[in-house]
């Protein structure tokens, strides 16, 4: 670059001479002028460089765009969301009829009391009402020691009251879920009374002759405990055998390994479905099956039954 060009690019030049006689040149860079920039911009080298970079950018951008389109087109499609059943998103209101509303002043809630509140349920935007046990019962466990699976306890009303309740609930767009108790019955249930004497019902419950001790007395077949503490076996003087009960001695366990028992319980479900029931809540589902080896003792842990062990596991089976 000649002197004139240098002066044009670097118009401000200062020369400083130090005390040691040395001189230092300071130049203040003030940039290129418009004419200089235009000259460089028209230079074939810079033109080719700019066009090359622009071409690389365009090709890269088009490549990314093409790749994105191919991914969208060729990627596997997500399956459509399955249609949910009503019970998969339901809001359920639990009703314990005994303490809900009494309409006949006998001190116990009833089905008509539930029916009086259907508008209230509807305003809550719930899907279904879960009705706790309303079966005839010996009331040792307030309805959960059932004496008849296919009827209504008189304290709650009649079968006609129940049918009217279901009909009115459906008219309001509500569904009804009932408790179903397949693990045990009341000791006053016809099945258990027949099981004590009648060979046709012999295996409806879990029976065992027990074991004979050295002193000649009988003892339960194993050391299993009931949920409420104490032995899970009670001796029956009529059959002269022990029967098994996970809960109270007044609640003998059904033998669910017996196909005839399963069929009877299946008939119970069909009976209520024909009455319009929409689903069932299975009570005490965690206790439905026992070990087939009734002579084996449980390892002794030294621990007592905690309050959490008294909480029955509940599952819902819906129609």
């Amino acid at each position: 670059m000649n002197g004139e060009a240098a002066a044009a690019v670097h118009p401000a030049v200062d020369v400083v001479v130090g005390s040691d006689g040395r001189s230092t040149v300071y130049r203040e860079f003030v940039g290129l002028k418009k004419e200089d920039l235009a000259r460089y911009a028209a230079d074939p080298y810079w033109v080719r460089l700019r066009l090359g970079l622009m071409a690389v950018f365009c090709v890269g951008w088009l490549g990314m765009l093409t790749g994105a389109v191919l991914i969208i087109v060729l990627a596997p499609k997500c399956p459509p969301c399955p249609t949910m059943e009503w019970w998969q998103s339901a809001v359920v209101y639990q009703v314990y009829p005994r303490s809900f509303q009494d309409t006949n002043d006998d001190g116990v809630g009833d089905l008509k009391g539930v029916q009086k509140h259907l508008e209230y349920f509807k305003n809550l935007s719930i899907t279904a009402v879960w009705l706790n046990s309303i079966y005839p019962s010996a009331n040792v466990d307030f309805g959960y020691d059932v004496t008849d699976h296919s009827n209504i306890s008189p304290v709650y009303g009649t079968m006609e009251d129940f049918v009217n309740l279901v009909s009115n609930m459906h008219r309001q767009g509500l569904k009804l879920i009932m408790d179903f108790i397949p693990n045990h019955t009341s000791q006053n249930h016809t099945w258990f009374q027949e099981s004590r004497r009648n060979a046709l019902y012999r295996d409806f419950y879990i029976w065992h002759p027990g074991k004979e001790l050295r002193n000649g007395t009988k003892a339960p077949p194993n050391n299993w405990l009931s949920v409420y503490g104490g032995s899970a076996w009670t001796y029956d003087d009529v059959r002269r055998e022990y029967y098994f009960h996970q809960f109270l001695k007044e609640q003998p366990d059904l033998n669910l390994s017996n196909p005839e028992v399963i069929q009877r319980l299946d008939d119970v479900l069909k009976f209520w479905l024909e009455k319009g029931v929409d689903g069932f809540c299975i009570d005490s589902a965690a206790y439905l099956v026992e070990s087939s080896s009734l002579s084996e003792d449980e390892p002794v842990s030294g621990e007592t039954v905690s309050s959490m062990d008294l909480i029955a596991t509940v599952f819902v089976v819906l129609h």
Side-chain angles (χ1 to χ4, degrees), residues 168-187:
N168 281 282
M169 286 184 66
H170 289 168
R171 195 174 295 117
Q172 292 274 7
L174 299 169
K175 296 184 180 295
L176 178 66
I177 299 172
M178 285 185 72
D179 263 342
F180 180 56
I181 310 164
N183 180 69
H184 51 267
T185 69
S186 166
Q187 64 179 0

Side-chain angles (χ1 to χ4, degrees), residues 141 144-145 181-187 192 205-207 222-234 242-256 283-292 294 298 305-306 309-313:
D141 192 21
Y144 290 87
D145 49 328
I181 310 164
N183 180 69
H184 51 267
T185 69
S186 166
Q187 64 179 0
F192 184 74
Y205 295 81
I206 301 172
W207 294 91
N222 55 46
N223 66 349
W224 296 355
L225 301 177
S226 78
V227 170
Y228 297 123
S231 176
W233 296 92
T234 294
Y242 289 89
Y243 64 87
F244 179 70
H245 51 90
Q246 294 267 23
F247 297 93
L248 300 171
K249 63 182 179 64
E250 294 86 358
Q251 296 171 296
D253 273 37
L254 286 163
N255 180 12
L256 297 181
D283 179 74
S284 304
Y287 302 93
L288 293 178
V289 181
E290 298 78 30
S291 170
S292 59
L294 300 179
E298 286 287 331
V305 178
S306 70
D309 293 328
L310 303 182
I311 301 177
T313 303

Side-chain angles (χ1 to χ4, degrees), residues 142-161:
F142 289 105
Y144 290 87
D145 49 328
V146 178
T147 58
D148 184 355
H149 285 87
S150 302
N151 218 326
I152 302 294
S153 173
V155 299
Y156 299 123
T158 64
M159 186 62 74
E160 183 181 0
D161 294 334

Side-chain angles (χ1 to χ4, degrees), residues 29-282:
F29 182 79
V30 294
L32 296 175
K33 293 183 178 180
K34 184 176 180 181
E35 296 78 7
D36 299 320
L37 289 174
R39 186 172 66 253
Y40 281 114
D43 189 295
Y45 170 78
W46 295 109
V47 171
R48 289 194 298 272
L49 180 61
R50 287 199 305 274
L51 292 176
L53 292 175
M54 179 63 70
V56 170
F57 172 80
C58 291
V59 170
W61 183 83
L62 288 174
M64 290 188 293
L65 179 62
T66 303
V69 171
L70 288 175
I71 291 174
I72 295 172
V73 172
L74 300 179
K77 302 297 186 293
C78 294
C81 294
T83 302
M84 297 180 69
E85 299 291 345
W86 68 265
W87 47 268
Q88 292 178 298
S89 58
V91 178
V92 181
Y93 189 106
Q94 181 182 3
V95 171
Y96 185 60
R98 177 174 289 272
S99 60
F100 192 70
Q101 182 174 357
D102 173 20
T103 61
N104 59 1
D105 297 326
D106 64 354
V108 179
D110 45 51
L111 295 176
K112 290 183 178 179
V114 177
Q115 184 167 325
K116 286 185 65 175
H117 286 77
L118 294 186
E119 192 65 32
Y120 167 72
F121 297 144
K122 186 67 177 177
N123 291 336
L124 291 177
S125 297
I126 66 169
T127 310
V129 173
W130 166 20
L131 207 57
N132 287 139
S133 178
I134 54 174
Y135 307 106
S137 165
N139 279 327
V140 176
D141 192 21
F142 289 105
Y144 290 87
D145 49 328
V146 178
T147 58
D148 184 355
H149 285 87
S150 302
N151 218 326
I152 302 294
S153 173
V155 299
Y156 299 123
T158 64
M159 186 62 74
E160 183 181 0
D161 294 334
F162 179 80
V163 172
N164 288 337
L165 173 63
V166 175
S167 177
N168 281 282
M169 286 184 66
H170 289 168
R171 195 174 295 117
Q172 292 274 7
L174 299 169
K175 296 184 180 295
L176 178 66
I177 299 172
M178 285 185 72
D179 263 342
F180 180 56
I181 310 164
N183 180 69
H184 51 267
T185 69
S186 166
Q187 64 179 0
N188 296 335
H189 198 291
T190 301
W191 297 348
F192 184 74
Q193 293 302 316
E194 291 295 326
S195 185
R196 300 170 75 197
R197 303 176 177 87
N198 189 336
L200 295 176
Y201 290 82
R202 178 176 182 83
D203 295 326
F204 266 52
Y205 295 81
I206 301 172
W207 294 91
H208 196 282
K211 57 186 178 183
E212 189 170 331
L213 303 180
R214 292 180 179 179
N215 60 8
T217 60
K218 276 191 170 185
N222 55 46
N223 66 349
W224 296 355
L225 301 177
S226 78
V227 170
Y228 297 123
S231 176
W233 296 92
T234 294
Y235 186 75
D236 179 67
D237 293 326
V238 175
R239 181 158 166 165
R240 300 191 177 214
E241 288 186 337
Y242 289 89
Y243 64 87
F244 179 70
H245 51 90
Q246 294 267 23
F247 297 93
L248 300 171
K249 63 182 179 64
E250 294 86 358
Q251 296 171 296
D253 273 37
L254 286 163
N255 180 12
L256 297 181
S257 63
N258 182 348
E260 180 64 23
V261 173
I262 297 297
Q263 184 59 54
R264 294 292 186 94
L265 293 174
D266 192 48
D267 291 341
V268 169
L269 293 175
K270 291 177 180 177
F271 173 85
W272 291 109
L273 289 174
E274 290 172 358
K275 297 292 184 184
V277 173
D278 298 290
F280 300 90
C281 177
I282 301 180

